[in-house]
Amino acid sequence: MNFRTIIEPFRIKSVESVKFTRREDREAALREAGFNVFRLRADDVLIDLLTDSGTGAMSAAQWSAVMQADESYAGSRSFYRFEAVVKDLTGFSHIIPTHQGRAAERILFHTILQPGQIVPNNNHFDTTRANIEVEQVEALDLVIPEGRVPHLIHPFKGNIDLAALERLLAERGDLVPLVMVTVTNNSGGGQPVSLENLRGVRTICDRHSKPFFLDACRFAENAWFIKLREPGQSGRTPKAIAREMFALADGCTMSAKKDGLANIGGFLAMNNAEWAEAARNLLILTEGFPTYGGLAGYDLEAVARGLEEVVEEDYLRYRIRSTEYLGEKLIAADVPIIRPPGGHAIYLDARALLPHVPPVQYPGISLANQLYVEAGIRGVEIGTVMFGLHPDGTETPGAMDLVRLAIPRRVYTQSHIDYVAEAVIAVAQSRQQLRGYRIVSAPKTLRHFTAIFEPLA
Ligand code: F0G
């Protein structure tokens, strides 16, 4: 017999209660938080879809590895285990642990970038962009045109535009110190990049003698999409596909808070020995000795085990299917979302849903706030607030105005997701009542985290 239901490939050994609140409590909490869901207390949130980063549930095997860890300052056994797992997966020669992804980014970019340069990517995530711009370097997004249109269906909407990359390197190649590709493409909707596209990047980089780095946060989800969608790949294991993805690159930055299935951790990995030495020296200055990089020995153990579990087929089948399940329910109810559903999140198209709220009145903030008030669900704006403010202080609409509902790994069950779908559909049906916002105060960079808003009358 062949059953169609894809079940969670685990049973639950330890549970954590969620707190139910009343609508008026949530209204007060949101007002108190300056109408910015980042400023809420997590205890006031019922279902927290703010991020899939560091919010996953660890396995019993990870927790027991935590107890086995070696906390030696230098040369810890846990580092060697971590290093062996990362090398086996990525094939890179130099493995530098960091406390999370952005530390790997900062160390890489501060080590190699010079003011006035350009770093191309399919789409830079916010911390990546900020860590590049702080070096007075341009972070250039070159995702394929299909990747910018939410309702357009394409199997690999995260692909980088190879012709645009070729043109950039031909015309201004002397300004490009490296090429990056983010798998899956978070800012573009959690969309995958094909092996064919990565091979194309490799060829172009070889032609112009440029190093190619992956932002590998969600490499396993990307590998699963390749298995599902790319011709000739269905018979391979996700790990074999992931290895080929890494083999096409010269290095990577990684946040182990995503596909490392850990609550903290990351790494910078590469083949270039000179860059690696410079990176390790900077690491010692700000993160820690190169065998722990700001992590406890037990974090290194959790990541090492997590990287083994994340490429298991049963896990990835469930993971990608459960995100798609939420997407299907919303599509069936005509809620505009980025299609097809991405790997780690569903992205509501707030601009399409709220045409009466102009981008500079932040439709994403309006929708995210209403979801919280109505249902206690926390999503995050990915749009004009996150990307609309430029280093010169000017503001323009972001490429899209989205609300991301990110699904923590192995945390919520199908009924939680059913509740989320019901709530989103109800809020979408009351769209006419939603109003825009203005910013009362905000910092100059990464303003979305701490900005204070006020609803417009
Ligand atoms: N790159 C991508 C594609 C990311 O999604 C993130 C984090 C980072 C780099 C930075 O990693 O958080 O460990 O420093 N994304 C989280 C998110 C925060 O919610 O999407 P980090």
Side-chain angles (χ1 to χ4, degrees), residues 58-72 76-78 81 296-303 305:
M58 293 214 295
S59 67
Q62 283 176 293
W63 283 114
S64 59
V66 161
M67 286 305 296
Q68 302 291 330
D70 172 6
E71 299 302 340
S72 302
S76 148
R77 177 180 70 237
S78 299
R81 166 152 162 66
Y298 54 71
D299 297 320
L300 293 166
E301 292 281 352
V303 173
R305 178 65 199 152

Side-chain angles (χ1 to χ4, degrees), residues 51 53 100-102 105 125 127-128 182 186 215 217-218 255 257-258 404:
T51 179
S53 180
Q100 60 185 91
R102 69 197 67 181
E105 292 162 8
F125 192 61
T127 58
T128 325
T182 305
N186 187 3
D215 176 338
C217 299
R218 298 177 181 86
S255 168
K257 302 173 72 171
K258 286 86 166 170
R404 185 186 71 175

Side-chain angles (χ1 to χ4, degrees), residues 49-53 125 183-191 217-218 221-222 225 258-259 315 319-320 322-324 326 341-347 382 404-409:
L49 308 183
L50 183 70
T51 179
D52 63 320
S53 180
F125 192 61
V183 291
T184 57
N185 186 23
N186 187 3
S187 312
Q191 300 290 325
C217 299
R218 298 177 181 86
E221 293 174 3
N222 198 90
F225 279 118
K258 286 86 166 170
D259 276 352
Y315 163 75
R319 168 72 178 157
I320 299 304
S322 51
T323 305
E324 184 185 47
L326 174 58
H344 67 295
I346 292 299
Y347 294 68
I382 298 200
R404 185 186 71 175
L405 305 176
I407 320 281
R409 294 169 180 77

Side-chain angles (χ1 to χ4, degrees), residues 25-328:
D25 300 330
R26 295 192 292 271
E27 279 172 344
L30 189 63
R31 203 175 315 115
E32 186 80 3
F35 297 96
N36 182 345
V37 295
F38 272 110
R39 302 172 68 107
L40 288 169
R41 284 172 182 260
D43 274 351
D44 294 331
V45 176
L46 180 65
I47 299 206
D48 203 346
L49 308 183
L50 183 70
T51 179
D52 63 320
S53 180
T55 51
M58 293 214 295
S59 67
Q62 283 176 293
W63 283 114
S64 59
V66 161
M67 286 305 296
Q68 302 291 330
D70 172 6
E71 299 302 340
S72 302
Y73 186 95
S76 148
R77 177 180 70 237
S78 299
F79 169 73
Y80 291 111
R81 166 152 162 66
F82 165 88
E83 185 190 42
V85 170
V86 177
K87 274 193 174 169
D88 175 59
L89 177 70
T90 66
F92 298 130
S93 331
H94 301 277
I95 312 299
I96 300 169
T98 60
H99 80 272
Q100 60 185 91
R102 69 197 67 181
E105 292 162 8
R106 188 190 71 85
I107 286 168
L108 174 68
F109 296 141
H110 193 68
T111 305
I112 66 168
L113 298 188
Q114 302 293 334
Q117 290 182 322
I118 305 166
V119 177
N121 201 328
N122 43 358
N123 283 119
H124 295 269
F125 192 61
D126 59 352
T127 58
T128 325
R129 170 174 294 280
N131 272 300
I132 289 171
E133 288 177 349
V134 79
E135 304 293 338
Q136 294 164 46
V137 168
E138 184 187 350
L140 184 64
D141 288 343
L142 293 181
V143 73
I144 54 170
E146 292 90 334
R148 300 177 199 268
V149 188
H151 63 267
L152 255 181
I153 308 278
H154 184 289
F156 292 103
K157 249 178 137 168
N159 282 355
I160 194 166
D161 184 336
L162 294 174
L165 180 65
E166 173 65 45
R167 222 175 306 125
L168 173 74
L169 292 178
E171 289 167 9
R172 291 186 290 170
D174 51 329
L175 293 177
V176 178
L178 84 169
V179 173
M180 290 200 72
V181 172
T182 305
V183 291
T184 57
N185 186 23
N186 187 3
S187 312
Q191 300 290 325
V193 178
S194 69
L195 270 181
E196 187 190 19
N197 193 249
L198 295 175
R199 290 189 194 117
V201 174
R202 177 74 267 165
T203 305
I204 292 173
C205 285
D206 283 345
R207 189 152 53 232
H208 296 273
S209 304
K210 297 295 174 192
F212 166 28
F213 273 58
L214 288 174
D215 176 338
C217 299
R218 298 177 181 86
F219 73 93
E221 293 174 3
N222 198 90
W224 185 255
F225 279 118
I226 287 174
K227 182 177 166 73
L228 289 184
R229 296 181 185 168
E230 191 155 349
Q233 299 299 322
S234 63
R236 299 177 75 191
T237 62
K239 186 171 175 184
I241 295 170
R243 277 178 160 159
E244 184 176 346
M245 289 163 51
F246 286 114
L248 288 165
D250 300 297
C252 73
T253 56
M254 171 74 188
S255 168
K257 302 173 72 171
K258 286 86 166 170
D259 276 352
L261 295 178
N263 301 122
I264 196 74
F267 56 85
L268 172 62
M270 64 184 87
N271 291 328
N272 184 322
E274 236 173 89
W275 282 9
E277 192 189 326
R280 282 198 188 96
N281 289 335
L282 186 56
L283 186 86
I284 292 176
L285 202 65
T286 58
E287 293 274 306
F289 193 72
T291 61
Y292 74 87
L295 295 169
Y298 54 71
D299 297 320
L300 293 166
E301 292 281 352
V303 173
R305 178 65 199 152
L307 288 172
E308 291 170 345
E309 292 178 5
V310 78
V311 290
E312 287 172 6
E313 298 209 7
D314 290 341
Y315 163 75
L316 284 169
R317 183 178 299 110
Y318 138 82
R319 168 72 178 157
I320 299 304
R321 174 58 197 151
S322 51
T323 305
E324 184 185 47
Y325 173 82
L326 174 58
E328 279 175 2

